[in-house]
Amino acid sequence: MLEKLKFLSRRILKMDYKGFFDVIDRIHKKTGKSKIVLFFDIIACGIKYQAGYLDYELFEMYDLNAEQRATVLTRGLSNHYVKICNDPAYRHFFINKNEFNTLFDKYLKRDWIILDGKNEDAFNEFVKGKKEIIAKPIDGIHGSGVTKLTPDENTYAYLMKENLLLAEEVIEQIPELNKLNATSVNTIRVITLGDKEKSEIILAYLRIGNNKIVDNFCGGGMVAPINIETHKIDFPATDKVGNVYYKHPTTQTDIVGFEVPCFDEIKELIAEVSKIVPQVSYVGWDVALSTKGPCLVEGNDFPGHVLYGLPPHRINGIGVAPLFKKVLNK
């Protein structure tokens, strides 16, 4: 209870009150529920379930009963798992992209370079023969700032100026995922959880781009859960504003029923990489299916929670929190 109160106190102090009341207005317009009732219900969910007002809206907690609400993986609950599973002394391997790429280089299966203002010659050697490259901020999240560009003699100076200090070879995606969506690499988010002895895969999601170069849910992409046993998509994809997609809106490729290729190879990859920093066991691994085989895009030691157990992906309103509790109770 003390941890819940500390979380709630921090959220109250840092809360965007305009955003809070905007959420109440949106839910009121959508459902007709009283604003006063919504106000107090959001506060109650914050106290009991460590749910922020954005959780309340995103997971449609206003339509859930107490039993269903207890199964939502809220921000506070996810933060709790980060705290107990991820040793702060080792999280820098995931936060710093230079360290991550160096440590997991074997599993990236692509060339990359970190710009430091003094290695323009090395950068020019890196881009030789490459029609395009991907550039990223070394501390970016949600795909923010990710840029695809054709390198020329001014590229190094441009990237330094824009603070896009990680340059990578473009991943060539396998044809099956290009057919689904070719505007971005469509990555698989794999969630591992456990302890220093063993981590296991508890969830996997296919993230799909939607006319942008990134597939991130918070950057305009969509997401659908992968059945870990059958490797198929059983539910429609959804985006952050709640649109539901049974087919990709651009390619018209079926999403429901889509079988994710090479999933056994993905499992093998994750089993291997999750042993490298066992002190960080709650990780969101992003995997691309390249023509060179499954490869790591990045690992998130703060894997978020907004993808997991969204309303279109629930049966009888039940979320994914019980899966987390089951693993940790082992």
Side-chain angles (χ1 to χ4, degrees):
M1 176 59 78
L2 181 60
E3 185 174 341
K4 289 183 179 181
L5 290 175
K6 286 181 178 178
F7 172 78
L8 184 62
S9 297
R10 289 194 299 269
R11 296 301 299 150
I12 291 172
L13 289 172
K14 297 180 180 179
M15 184 183 292
D16 173 2
Y17 286 94
K18 181 181 183 303
F20 175 74
F21 287 107
D22 284 346
V23 163
I24 290 175
D25 285 341
R26 286 197 296 270
I27 298 173
H28 167 70
K29 289 177 182 177
K30 180 178 179 180
T31 67
K33 293 179 183 288
S34 161
K35 291 184 181 182
I36 295 175
V37 170
L38 290 169
F39 176 89
F40 286 106
D41 196 37
I42 291 173
I43 293 174
C45 283
I47 296 171
K48 189 169 184 178
Y49 307 109
Q50 301 180 70
Y53 62 85
L54 294 176
D55 287 347
Y56 186 86
E57 179 181 32
L58 181 66
F59 294 107
E60 297 180 0
M61 296 182 75
Y62 48 84
D63 276 340
L64 302 180
N65 60 35
E67 180 183 359
Q68 294 165 330
R69 287 176 172 186
T71 69
V72 174
L73 183 70
T74 62
R75 177 174 177 174
L77 189 55
S78 181
N79 290 356
H80 171 68
Y81 293 147
V82 169
K83 183 177 180 180
I84 65 175
C85 295
N86 296 347
D87 187 333
Y90 293 86
R91 290 178 61 188
H92 62 92
F93 289 114
F94 295 85
I95 295 170
N96 185 299
K97 286 185 168 60
N98 192 358
E99 290 188 69
F100 181 87
N101 280 22
T102 300
L103 186 61
F104 293 95
D105 182 67
K106 171 184 174 182
Y107 307 97
L108 302 182
K109 298 182 182 178
R110 61 190 181 279
D111 294 335
W112 60 277
I113 186 172
I114 298 288
L115 282 61
D116 61 11
K118 302 175 183 177
N119 60 348
E120 185 169 4
D121 289 342
F123 175 79
N124 289 334
E125 190 63 30
F126 163 77
V127 298
K128 273 187 180 178
K130 294 180 174 65
K131 294 182 180 179
E132 292 181 308
I133 62 169
I134 294 290
K136 308 174 182 178
I138 60 173
D139 56 355
I141 59 173
H142 305 322
S144 177
V146 175
T147 304
K148 180 187 285 188
L149 69 167
T150 300
D152 58 30
E153 65 275 9
N154 300 314
T155 300
Y156 188 87
Y158 169 78
L159 296 181
M160 289 298 302
K161 177 176 176 292
E162 297 297 322
N163 203 35
L164 300 173
L165 303 183
L166 172 59
E168 296 184 339
E169 177 185 2
V170 175
I171 295 172
E172 185 178 348
Q173 184 171 237
I174 62 173
E176 295 95 322
L177 288 179
N178 272 332
K179 182 181 178 183
L180 183 62
N181 169 64
T183 65
S184 71
V185 175
N186 307 293
T187 57
I188 292 91
R189 167 65 64 89
V190 182
I191 306 300
T192 57
L193 188 69
D195 54 30
K196 293 180 182 179
E197 301 301 320
K198 183 182 179 182
S199 292
E200 59 182 278
I201 295 173
I202 60 170
L203 293 167
Y205 289 82
L206 178 61
R207 304 192 306 178
I208 309 165
N210 192 2
N211 293 318
K212 294 185 178 181
I213 69 164
V214 295
D215 63 352
N216 300 70
F217 184 69
C218 294
M222 60 188 83
V223 64
I226 301 168
N227 185 314
I228 294 175
E229 302 303 322
T230 67
H231 312 164
K232 291 184 177 181
I233 306 295
D234 297 330
F235 297 90
T238 185
D239 59 23
K240 195 173 182 181
V241 296
N243 295 313
V244 173
Y245 305 92
Y246 288 83
K247 296 176 180 284
H248 193 281
T250 302
T251 66
Q252 295 302 304
T253 301
D254 286 331
I255 294 174
V256 175
F258 182 85
E259 183 169 356
V260 178
C262 310
F263 201 79
D264 285 330
E265 294 176 52
I266 294 172
K267 288 180 179 179
E268 292 172 7
L269 171 67
I270 298 303
E272 194 168 338
V273 298
S274 62
K275 296 175 182 177
I276 294 175
V277 189
Q279 297 84 358
V280 179
S281 61
Y282 177 27
V283 180
W285 304 94
D286 292 337
V287 179
L289 293 179
S290 80
T291 54
K292 299 176 183 179
C295 61
L296 281 185
V297 176
E298 63 183 16
N300 301 275
D301 69 300
F302 208 99
H305 66 293
V306 297
L307 304 183
Y308 321 135
L310 292 165
H313 305 151
R314 299 189 302 233
I315 297 175
N316 298 325
I318 302 301
V320 300
L323 296 176
F324 286 70
K325 294 174 183 177
K326 182 180 178 181
V327 170
L328 291 179
N329 284 341
K330 292 180 181 179

